[in-house]
Amino acid sequence: MMNAFNFDSKQFDTQQFDALFFGPARAYASLSVDYAEKLAHAQLDATKAYTDTGLAQLRTLMAVKDAEGLKSYMEGQQKVAKDLAERLKGDAEKVVALQQDFVQQSQKLTEENVKQAQATATKATAQK
């Protein structure tokens, strides 16, 4: 029986060792980096959109010169609030979708790696 912490590495050739250990580690690392990159881009896009909206609102407020302009600004705030709420909902949905995709891809990768490990271990023990 092979113990994960105490096994004879001589029974594995380089290709088997790569298939059993390094290949899965690289695949998972690649998946994790892709997820982190997508999440970072989503967060940066959201931050830019919120910042741009806030700055645009400040510029609009600075341009108010009379009661009518203030009234118009305040009425426009409702649309801005609605747009921001929709953006926030969309951003949250995007993050959830990224997380779900990561979990699904991780599960698929794990299943493939378990199958590969079983095949590699069987081949290695058969060569003894």
Side-chain angles (χ1 to χ4, degrees), residues 39-55 84 87 91:
L39 186 60
H41 283 293
Q43 291 171 335
L44 288 171
D45 289 346
T47 300
K48 183 176 181 338
Y50 300 137
T51 301
D52 288 349
T53 298
L55 290 172
L84 281 176
R87 171 73 196 220
D91 289 340

Side-chain angles (χ1 to χ4, degrees), residues 7-82:
F7 69 93
D8 181 11
S9 63
K10 293 177 187 140
Q11 65 183 329
F12 295 99
D13 64 26
T14 304
Q15 186 177 10
Q16 290 169 333
F17 199 77
D18 185 71
L20 195 57
F21 298 105
F22 293 119
R26 279 192 304 270
Y28 186 77
S30 176
L31 181 64
S32 296
V33 168
D34 287 346
Y35 168 73
E37 182 180 32
K38 288 175 184 175
L39 186 60
H41 283 293
Q43 291 171 335
L44 288 171
D45 289 346
T47 300
K48 183 176 181 338
Y50 300 137
T51 301
D52 288 349
T53 298
L55 290 172
Q57 286 306 106
L58 287 172
R59 286 189 179 98
T60 302
L61 181 59
M62 289 175 14
V64 171
K65 300 196 186 324
D66 55 22
E68 189 61 37
L70 182 59
K71 179 182 172 195
S72 177
Y73 172 80
M74 296 305 289
E75 289 171 352
Q77 287 300 101
Q78 292 176 0
K79 182 180 182 328
V80 169
K82 181 182 175 193

Side-chain angles (χ1 to χ4, degrees), residues 19-20 24 107-122:
L20 195 57
Q107 288 173 341
K108 182 179 175 187
L109 187 60
T110 300
E111 290 169 6
E112 290 170 356
N113 290 337
V114 167
K115 289 177 186 173
Q116 179 66 36
Q118 289 171 341
T120 301
T122 301

